[in-house]
Amino acid sequence: MYHISFFLNCCCLFFLVIPHSKFSTIAATAVDIIDQTCKKCTDEFDVISYKVCATSLQAVPVSHVTNLQGLALIAMELALQNATNTLSTIEKFSSNKSFDPFALVCLKDCLQLYSDAITTLRDAVGAFLREDYDTANIWVSAVMEAPTTCEEGFKEKEGEVSPLKNENYNLFQLCDIALCISHMLKYLGSTFLTGCSAT
């Protein structure tokens, strides 16, 4: 279960309440935007799982009454939480003597990758809040290299099983979801939101 910070809730409500020149807001009584957004992302990006998208966003109460900006921010915050939790998991694994030397080397590499990813995600959130979506997208895209590289490291040895398979998958998914929603903001804007409300 993900736990969203008070700061993020405030940011999402800011996007909802404060009028924006390009985007409509979604009232509490409007059709749930999460389903529409996740379906759209799944249609446009084959690697995105509808189940991961929907269940992750639905776990955050404010996501049901926010708009696309709020959903993108939630996805980035979920990715940041995933990366932070995974970093703690890696640290615990690194002191576990049951792992062979090769796995420990891989974990060390993953530790650095996730440490960098956390810093980059924080920068991405900052850029997004400044409405510098292009910069935010570049940094979120860069973060996606962390789980991919981490996972591939274990595959270099035949028969080696990654203990971080689920964590790597979830981080990649959450980043891709954030990118998809940001893409909608840039190219669809209020048209998508209006369509959701009218459905």
Side-chain angles (χ1 to χ4, degrees):
M1 180 67 67
Y2 292 108
H3 300 282
I4 296 300
S5 66
F6 174 76
F7 170 75
L8 177 61
N9 281 327
C10 290
C11 289
C12 292
L13 289 173
F14 173 83
F15 281 132
L16 174 64
V17 175
I18 304 300
H20 193 280
S21 59
K22 295 183 179 180
F23 310 115
S24 303
T25 57
I26 303 299
T29 56
V31 174
D32 194 355
I33 192 176
I34 297 174
D35 179 66
Q36 295 291 331
T37 301
C38 290
K39 283 180 178 177
K40 187 72 174 177
C41 286
T42 303
D43 289 341
E44 293 193 4
F45 298 87
D46 293 338
V47 296
I48 292 180
S49 162
Y50 173 84
K51 182 178 180 180
V52 173
C53 179
T55 56
S56 298
L57 296 178
Q58 286 171 356
V60 185
V62 73
S63 66
H64 297 272
V65 294
T66 190
N67 54 18
L68 283 179
Q69 294 122 306
L71 287 183
L73 189 59
I74 288 169
M76 282 189 280
E77 178 72 9
L78 289 173
L80 180 57
Q81 289 185 349
N82 172 281
T84 302
N85 292 338
T86 301
L87 188 66
S88 296
T89 299
I90 296 171
E91 290 173 342
K92 292 178 182 178
F93 284 164
S94 297
S95 60
N96 190 330
K97 296 181 180 179
S98 66
F99 288 102
D100 61 46
F102 176 81
L104 290 173
V105 170
C106 291
L107 287 170
K108 182 179 180 181
D109 291 339
C110 292
L111 184 70
Q112 185 60 56
L113 288 165
Y114 270 83
S115 295
D116 293 342
I118 289 170
T119 299
T120 305
L121 276 170
R122 287 172 178 161
D123 290 340
V125 170
F128 189 88
L129 289 173
R130 297 192 302 272
E131 298 187 12
D132 185 357
Y133 300 134
D134 289 336
T135 298
N137 290 348
I138 290 172
W139 282 334
V140 172
S141 295
V143 169
M144 295 172 75
E145 293 295 322
T148 301
T149 303
C150 174
E151 193 67 22
E152 289 177 348
F154 290 95
K155 295 179 180 179
E156 291 180 3
K157 180 181 178 181
E158 186 176 355
E160 191 74 34
V161 178
S162 169
L164 301 170
K165 183 176 182 179
N166 290 335
E167 290 84 351
N168 288 330
Y169 174 78
N170 288 332
L171 179 57
F172 189 93
Q173 285 282 314
L174 290 168
C175 287
D176 221 8
I177 291 165
L179 286 174
C180 173
I181 299 173
S182 183
H183 174 82
M184 291 180 190
L185 282 171
K186 185 173 182 180
Y187 295 103
L188 301 180
S190 58
T191 301
F192 176 80
L193 291 171
T194 301
C196 289
S197 299
T199 301

